[in-house]
Amino acid sequence: RGSPVRRNVSVGWYSVPDTVPAPHIQSATYARSVDVQRQVLDLRAHRTGQEVCPKGHYCVGGRKYTCPAGKYNNATGLDVEGCAEDCTVGHYCPEASVLPTPCPPGTYGGATGLTTAACSGLCAKGYYCEEASTSATQDPCPAGKPGYAEGLISDACTLDCEPTSHAGVGRKCTDSVCEAGWYCPVGSVNKTQEVCGGPGFFCPAGSGTPTPVSTGYYTIGRYSLAGELQSDRDEKIRDAQLPCEPGFFCFGGVKYACPPGTYGLTYGLATVECSGLCTPGFYCPEQSVYAEQVPCGGEDVYCPVGSALPTAVDPGFYSTTGAPMTRSAQTICPPGSYCVKGIQRLCPPGKYGGTNGLTSGDCTALCAEGYYCPRGSTQVREVACPAGTWGRVGSGDDKCSGLCEPGHYCPAGSTRATQHVCNGEEYYCPRGSGAPQPVPVGYYATGGA
C-alpha cells in the first residue's frame, strides 16, 4: 500500500495478494495451470506483499511450488527449482516433504527418491525390516525363529502382532517358533527348516541348532515315548531327552536293555556293563534291575557270577556253594559217591565207587568176596570180613554173609562158610570160629566126623 513503484520479490520469497492468505500453497502439479493462471490473470496486479518460501517448497519468480514427490526441503527460502535433496535410502518423500519419512516396518527403501510408503517393497522371507530399513535382507531372523512370510517387522519374525496406529513402530509380536523336532538356523523361512538329525540329537520347539544328547540319556519324540523303546519313525526328529531308566543303558541317544547276566540299578547308565554282573547264585534275564534278580533254582542247577539263565549240573557232578535254591558252582562227584541231578549220594552198602564222576547207585561194582563195603566205600576190598565170618560178593557190613560153620574155621577174608576144616581131634571149632581152638586137658572134642 502506498508504493510509488513496483518492487521485485526477494530471492527465495513469493508474492502474496491482500485477498490470498500468506500460507496459501500452490501445487507443483498445477502450478503452471489453474493456480498460476488465476494468480496471473486475476491477482497479478494486486500483489501487496511477500513471504519467505516455507519448508517443503521452493520459490522461483515470486511464485511458490511444492517440492515434488521423491524430494524434500528442510530449509526456508529455497529458490532451487524442483528442490535439491533426493529422498534418502530407507525413506520416502511424498509431495511437499520437509524431511524424509522412514519406510514403515516390514518394508525397505533400497534407492533414493522413493515417493510412497510402499518404498521398494516388502522385506524378504527369512528377514525382518525395522523402520527405515534399506535392504530386503536387512536383518536375518534369529536362530529358532523362522521368517515364513514377507514383510516381517521385528526380530519376532511373525505376522502375529498387535494392531497399532503407528505403522508398526513398537508393536508387540508373538515370537515365531521353529517346530519341535526341527531346527531353524539364522535366516530360516520354514518352521521345519532342517531335521534335527540322528538319535544323538534333540530339538525342542524354538531350536536354532540341534542339541547333543547328554551322557546316559535317550531322545524321545512323537513316536518314541517316555519309558518305552524308541521308534525308527521319528529317529531324525526327536524333541527331548530323558535319563535312562533302571534296567537300561543309553548310548548315543539310543536306549538299550541291560544284556542278560547284568543288571541296571540306577538311572542314567551309559555303558553295556550297566551296574555290573549278576550275583552268584542268581540269574539276571535281559533288562534286570537287581543283582539278585531271580534265585537260581533247585539243586540240579547252578548260577555262577553273571548268569543269564541257570546252568544244569553236569552228570556226575553236584551243585555247591550257597543254599539249595542259590547254588553257584558244581563239583565232580568224588570216589565213594555218585551224583544224580546235582545231588551227591554215598555209594550204597555192598558197593564201592572207585572213580570220580559216578552217575548211578550201581557205583563202580559190588564189593569183592571175603570183604564188605560199608556205605561210601571207595575200594573193591574195602574191609576184610572179620575172622569167624565169610563173605560173598556184595557184602555190606561186618556180618558179611554169616558165621563160619561148626567144625570149620574162617580166618579174616574168608569166602566160604567151610573155609577150613578144624584140623584134628586136638582142636575143636564151634560156629563162628576164626581159628581152631585147642581142646583143654581132660576134655575131648565132640561133633563132626
Side-chain angles (χ1 to χ4, degrees), residues 90-91 101-109 128-134 138-139 152-154 166-170:
H91 297 76
T101 301
C103 289
T107 68
Y108 71 99
Y128 66 95
C129 294
E130 295 181 329
E131 185 179 70
S133 290
T134 61
Q138 184 74 22
D139 292 298
L152 301 176
I153 67 173
S154 74
H166 299 291
V169 178

Side-chain angles (χ1 to χ4, degrees), residues 21-402:
H24 176 70
I25 299 174
Q26 297 165 307
S27 169
T29 306
Y30 302 105
R32 302 189 185 279
S33 57
V34 178
D35 289 341
V36 173
Q37 291 172 20
R38 181 181 302 119
Q39 190 179 51
V40 171
L41 296 176
D42 298 336
L43 304 174
R44 178 177 294 174
H46 303 285
R47 301 287 175 154
T48 60
Q50 65 176 359
E51 296 287 345
V52 67
C53 205
K55 295 178 180 181
H57 298 75
Y58 67 93
C59 296
V60 177
R63 298 170 187 166
K64 179 177 66 174
Y65 304 96
T66 57
C67 287
K71 302 280 188 176
Y72 73 97
N73 171 36
N74 190 31
T76 59
L78 181 65
D79 63 349
V80 178
E81 185 172 354
C83 298
E85 300 291 340
D86 286 330
C87 206
T88 56
V89 291
H91 297 76
Y92 69 97
C93 296
E95 191 177 83
S97 289
V98 174
L99 289 171
T101 301
C103 289
T107 68
Y108 71 99
T112 59
L114 299 176
T115 61
T116 69
C119 292
S120 297
L122 295 175
C123 203
K125 290 182 179 180
Y127 296 84
Y128 66 95
C129 294
E130 295 181 329
E131 185 179 70
S133 290
T134 61
S135 170
T137 56
Q138 184 74 22
D139 292 298
C141 285
K145 298 179 182 180
Y148 52 88
E150 295 179 324
L152 301 176
I153 67 173
S154 74
D155 63 1
C157 288
T158 180
L159 297 176
D160 184 12
C161 298
E162 65 181 8
T164 180
S165 59
H166 299 291
V169 178
R171 294 171 67 183
K172 292 182 179 179
C173 300
T174 301
D175 284 345
S176 173
V177 178
C178 198
E179 190 167 328
W182 283 262
Y183 72 96
C184 298
V186 170
S188 293
V189 299
N190 196 306
K191 289 187 176 182
T192 55
Q193 187 73 24
E194 303 286 348
V195 294
C196 193
F201 299 90
F202 66 98
C203 295
S207 291
T209 58
T211 302
V213 69
S214 302
T215 301
Y217 281 64
Y218 66 101
T219 50
I220 60 174
R222 61 186 65 188
Y223 302 112
S224 298
L225 305 179
E228 299 180 5
L229 291 176
Q230 295 148 300
S231 169
D232 292 338
R233 296 174 65 188
D234 60 3
E235 184 179 44
K236 294 185 177 181
I237 52 170
R238 303 281 169 78
D239 57 30
Q241 66 172 357
L242 289 173
C244 237
E245 295 89 356
F248 295 88
F249 72 97
C250 292
F251 180 79
V254 180
K255 180 166 69 172
Y256 303 93
C258 287
T262 68
Y263 69 99
L265 183 62
T266 61
Y267 282 87
L269 297 174
T271 65
V272 68
E273 291 81 8
C274 292
S275 295
L277 295 174
C278 203
T279 298
F282 297 82
Y283 69 95
C284 296
E286 184 180 70
Q287 198 178 318
S288 290
V289 175
Y290 303 107
E292 299 178 352
Q293 189 75 21
V294 184
C296 193
E299 293 175 281
D300 59 337
V301 291
Y302 68 101
C303 294
V305 62
S307 291
L309 289 170
T311 301
V313 175
D314 293 327
F317 285 71
Y318 64 100
S319 58
T320 61
T321 313
M325 294 298 290
T326 56
R327 296 288 168 84
S328 62
Q330 67 173 0
T331 301
I332 194 167
C333 243
S337 64
Y338 67 98
C339 294
V340 177
K341 294 184 177 181
I343 298 174
Q344 179 190 16
R345 293 179 173 88
L346 295 176
C347 287
K351 298 178 180 180
Y352 75 97
T355 61
N356 292 320
L358 298 175
T359 59
S360 77
D362 293 335
C363 291
T364 301
L366 295 172
C367 204
E369 61 181 0
Y371 291 83
Y372 70 94
C373 294
R375 187 180 301 276
S377 293
T378 62
Q379 301 179 61
V380 65
R381 294 178 176 82
E382 185 77 12
V383 183
C385 287
T389 66
W390 65 281
R392 299 187 186 95
V393 171
S395 295
D397 58 32
D398 59 1
K399 295 182 176 61
C400 291
S401 297

